[in-house]
């Protein structure tokens, strides 16, 4: 295979605005087809994004012999079923987060992946972002001392009735949409799996989706707390507190592509003057994700975020709902 030829399911906002624009001009891959429930919509997206083929269904993309790999940015409730169709057609699949709404669903995806011998992974672009790779290295180096506490926050304001984030039937709500990020990045940076958790969730009375949540996770070496909201001013941060220093990821999730990402190392001066600023080279985390995933296909390597990782993340997110509903700690081991 010379270049990986990608097909896209749905003219999703994330695909049109971030992922496909980030995949232009590569020697490793190209986007060759996009399908939508509306042919008109597919044609418009294809002409705006220079994609040669447009289809009025997802099935035509999946069955196109000139497509090697599929990017699946459909609503959360359609991730597993369409990924399975792609795998059964012999295609590699990069599926948007959260990959599944039930961890048990990932078992059938893992079996299908193994049966068809294709690459399948979850689109946590943060795993390919150099700032998170650096965070993991710094924590692993021991320079901060033993990490004992982690804190996260992620919020935005969205009460649009027609948005998939506000529809329970599409797997909407804050936990699935953004709670997945503090969970994934803490697992990624610490290199550990949490043992138990408890949570508070508040649900929007009109939509029935969770709009505010706070979670405590017990990792083997650290305690983590994070809050998320779909109805607060936009904000995001992650902190890792060590015995000697603390590390702050300034824009941990929606990292900009036009300015350097910054990691701040706090040396313990509470006035905030002793802060070491690490500026990362400007990069696009969606390009890095496409590079890493395409290389995994071309060189038969591990995908950046495996289905086994997706299984763990989903188990944790499911446990958050259980803990909040039953008002108790839920064991994860
Ligand atoms: N990694 C990231 O940074 C990131 C950021 C944002 C979102 N996401 C993920 O990407 C996925 C899409 O998010 P988005 O914000 O781009 O959503 P969106 O704009 O609403 O796109 C979803 C697409 O799914 C298709 N679709 C099929 N059945 C649908 C239904 N019943 N209702 C609505 N749409 C339906 C539509 O495509 P057609 O009409 O063209 O068929 C629609 O454009 C979600 O899983 C989300 O979690 C990831």
């Amino acid at each position: 295979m010379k270049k990986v030829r990608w097909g896209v399911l749905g003219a999703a906002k994330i695909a049109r605005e971030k992922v496909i624009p980030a995949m232009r001009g590569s020697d490793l891959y190209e986007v060759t087809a996009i399908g939508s429930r509306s042919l008109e919509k597919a044609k418009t997206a294809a002409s705006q994004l220079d994609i040669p083929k447009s289809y009025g269904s997802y099935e035509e993309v999946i069955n196109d012999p000139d497509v090697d790999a599929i990017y699946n940015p459909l609503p959360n409730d359609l991730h597993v079923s369409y990924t399975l169709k792609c795998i059964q057609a012999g295609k590699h699949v990069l599926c948007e987060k959260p990959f599944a709404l039930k961890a048990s669903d990932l078992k059938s995806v893992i079996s299908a992946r193994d049966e068809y011998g294709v690459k399948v992974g979850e689109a946590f672009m943060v795993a390919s972002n150099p700032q998170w790779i650096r965070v993991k290295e710094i924590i692993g180096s021991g320079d901060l001392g033993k990490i004992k506490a982690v804190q996260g926050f992620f919020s935005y304001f969205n009460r649009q009735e027609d948005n998939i984030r506000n529809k329970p039937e599409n797997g909407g709500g804050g936990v699935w949409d953004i709670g997945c990020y503090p969970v994934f990045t803490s697992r990624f940076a610490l290199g550990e799996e949490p043992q138990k958790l408890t949570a508070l969730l508040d649900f929007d009375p009109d939509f029935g989706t969770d709009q505010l949540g706070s979670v405590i996770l017990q990792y083997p070496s650290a305690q983590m707390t994070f809050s998320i909201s779909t109805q607060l001013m936009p904000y995001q941060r992650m902190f890792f507190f060590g015995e000697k220093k603390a590390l702050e990821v300034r824009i941990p999730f929606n990292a900009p592509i036009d300015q350097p990402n910054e990691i701040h190392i706090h040396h313990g001066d509470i006035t905030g003057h002793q802060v070491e600023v690490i500026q990362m080279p400007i990069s696009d985390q969606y390009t890095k994700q496409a590079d890493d995933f395409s290389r995994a296909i071309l060189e038969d390597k591990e995908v950046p975020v495996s289905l086994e990782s997706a299984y763990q993340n989903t188990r944790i997110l499911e446990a958050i709902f259980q803990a909040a509903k039953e008002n108790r700690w839920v064991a994860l081991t």
Side-chain angles (χ1 to χ4, degrees):
M1 194 189 298
K2 273 202 202 132
K3 271 188 177 185
V4 179
R5 297 164 301 176
W6 285 89
V8 180
L9 304 186
K13 187 167 189 274
I14 181 66
R16 286 182 286 107
E17 296 185 3
K18 305 277 184 196
V19 176
I20 300 173
M23 290 175 76
R24 284 180 169 156
S26 171
D27 294 335
L28 298 174
Y29 50 82
E30 60 201 4
V31 179
T32 47
I34 185 164
S36 166
R37 293 169 300 175
S38 138
L39 181 58
E40 197 63 27
K41 227 169 128 181
K43 278 185 175 165
T44 304
S47 83
Q48 285 168 351
L49 295 158
D50 299 325
I51 301 171
K53 292 186 189 178
S54 43
Y55 293 119
S57 74
Y58 305 143
E59 279 70 17
E60 286 168 281
V61 180
I62 296 169
N63 295 319
D64 183 336
D66 294 330
V67 166
D68 308 303
I70 304 278
Y71 169 57
N72 178 356
L74 293 173
N76 299 342
D77 61 309
L78 298 178
H79 286 174
V80 168
S81 55
Y82 273 97
T83 294
L84 283 171
K85 288 185 193 195
C86 299
I87 296 173
Q88 285 154 5
K91 312 289 171 162
H92 308 284
V93 190
L94 174 64
C95 179
E96 266 307 338
K97 41 56 64 176
F99 202 121
L101 301 171
K102 280 194 277 177
S104 56
D105 283 353
L106 280 154
K107 293 197 170 161
S108 54
V109 186
I110 289 171
S111 304
R113 173 200 65 189
D114 295 345
E115 185 185 343
Y116 287 85
V118 289
K119 304 286 179 190
V120 187
E122 188 169 27
F124 270 121
M125 69 299 181
V126 283
S128 297
N129 187 323
Q131 77 167 343
W132 275 105
I133 293 165
R134 187 71 184 274
V135 167
K136 193 172 168 65
E137 279 167 9
I138 294 170
I139 290 175
S141 76
D143 186 47
L144 311 174
K146 195 170 175 322
I147 303 290
K148 288 195 197 165
V150 182
Q151 284 195 342
F153 198 93
F154 195 178
S155 61
Y156 58 74
F157 195 98
N158 180 332
R159 284 204 90 252
Q160 295 159 3
E161 271 178 31
D162 58 350
N163 194 288
I164 54 170
R165 286 161 188 76
N166 294 321
K167 294 186 178 179
E169 65 274 22
N170 289 136
V175 169
W176 293 118
D177 193 43
I178 49 179
C180 57
Y181 283 106
V183 169
F184 177 77
T185 50
S186 56
R187 291 176 52 237
F188 179 83
L190 296 175
E192 293 180 351
E193 295 298 338
Q195 299 161 318
K196 63 176 183 175
L197 66 78
T198 192
L200 287 172
L201 291 179
D202 186 68
F203 290 79
D204 183 285
D206 300 325
F207 303 138
T209 45
D210 56 294
Q211 61 87 21
L212 176 66
S214 295
V215 181
I216 307 177
L217 289 151
Q218 175 71 62
Y219 277 92
S221 66
Q223 295 177 0
M224 179 189 188
T225 58
F226 74 83
S227 293
I228 47 165
S229 180
T230 61
Q231 294 180 25
L232 279 175
M233 44 73 76
Y235 191 81
Q236 48 187 265
R237 281 287 193 282
M238 285 287 285
F239 288 97
F240 295 84
F241 295 93
E243 286 174 332
K244 294 191 236 163
K245 300 175 195 171
L247 181 154
E248 176 185 3
V249 189
R250 301 282 292 177
I251 312 182
F253 313 120
N254 300 121
I257 57 169
D258 58 352
Q259 63 188 70
N261 289 307
E262 286 188 359
I263 300 165
H264 288 193
I265 307 290
H266 298 265
H267 287 246
D269 164 23
I270 57 165
T271 63
H273 291 129
Q274 281 183 28
V275 177
E276 180 191 339
V277 177
I278 301 173
Q279 282 204 340
M280 301 301 296
I282 292 177
S283 67
D284 184 330
Q285 59 187 346
Y286 298 101
T287 305
K288 300 277 182 196
Q289 170 177 259
D291 291 354
D292 286 351
F293 201 95
S294 299
R295 274 202 195 92
I297 296 171
L298 293 166
E299 298 166 19
D300 193 16
K301 295 197 307 198
E302 275 296 302
V303 297
V305 182
S306 68
L307 290 177
E308 286 73 11
S309 166
Y311 177 83
Q312 291 291 352
N313 230 65
T314 311
R315 264 181 83 225
I316 297 165
L317 301 179
E318 275 187 297
I320 292 173
F321 287 104
Q322 190 184 354
K325 189 172 173 199
E326 298 172 9
N327 192 22
R328 67 177 180 92
W329 285 89
V330 173
L332 293 160
T333 45

